[in-house]
Amino acid sequence: ALIAAWGCRRSTPEDHESSGDATRALPPTELVVKAVNNLTRPNQEIRIGCCWGQVGVPYWDAVTLGVQAAQRRWGYNIRIGGPPVNDPRAQIAEVETWIAQRFDAIVYQAMDADASVPTINKAVARGIPVITIDSDAHNSKRTRPTKKTNKSK
């Protein structure tokens, strides 16, 4: 099994059955690995940006620990980002930088779903898969959403 901490939980057969879409219940680690699986470069050259809101909040600190474990396991070049306060514009600006730098994949928690759509669509148009985590931007062309993992919202 892949590292559950990245997605804060493991998927179960019940998740797959109830969702009607098996990809919706997959942990983000599996989605990211699938998104970059076609690349032929060594893992350490594959750049993945993980951007969520309010870095430093215990919930996102736990997710970050899972991402760091995935980085150690697979050797991807993973950058953790996101503002320390609720600032969707700063979050979007960081992702725009990653798009300009041609990252290979982006894991994204949309602090402002509507404002995130143009940035997500730009990434996808440039061949950069965007996997949403925790909150989604339904009207975007994101690669695949994951089920919400933050039950407190």
Side-chain angles (χ1 to χ4, degrees):
L2 294 172
I3 298 168
W6 196 359
C8 296
R9 62 184 285 281
R10 289 187 191 275
S11 63
T12 65
E14 293 79 23
D15 289 335
H16 296 278
E17 291 169 10
S18 65
S19 72
D21 177 3
T23 62
R24 289 186 59 81
L26 292 176
T29 45
E30 290 185 44
L31 295 174
V32 172
V33 169
K34 286 181 179 186
V36 298
N37 198 35
N38 64 330
L39 301 175
T40 57
R41 298 188 315 272
N43 282 4
Q44 66 268 20
E45 293 179 16
I46 296 173
R47 295 181 301 161
I48 301 170
C50 298
C51 190
W52 28 80
Q54 296 187 292
V55 171
V57 171
Y59 175 79
W60 291 112
D61 287 347
V63 175
T64 296
L65 289 174
V67 170
Q68 291 167 339
Q71 184 174 22
R72 286 188 299 275
R73 180 172 180 178
W74 292 295
Y76 294 124
N77 180 355
I78 298 176
R79 183 173 305 162
I80 307 294
V85 296
N86 188 0
D87 187 349
R89 287 182 289 183
Q91 183 191 39
I92 291 167
E94 183 160 28
V95 172
E96 289 281 350
T97 299
W98 294 346
I99 294 168
Q101 294 172 351
R102 309 207 47 84
F103 271 51
D104 297 296
I106 296 170
V107 179
Y108 186 70
Q109 182 253 337
M111 292 175 77
D112 182 335
D114 292 333
S116 298
V117 169
T119 299
I120 292 170
N121 290 351
K122 180 191 294 185
V124 172
R126 294 186 181 175
I128 302 169
V130 177
I131 295 103
T132 56
I133 178 175
D134 187 67
S135 58
D136 194 12
H138 297 286
N139 296 321
S140 72
K141 296 178 182 178
R142 80 268 192 249
T143 304
R144 295 177 190 98
T146 61
K147 279 188 162 183
K148 275 184 89 167
T149 56
N150 186 348
K151 301 296 184 188
S152 67
K153 286 189 175 179

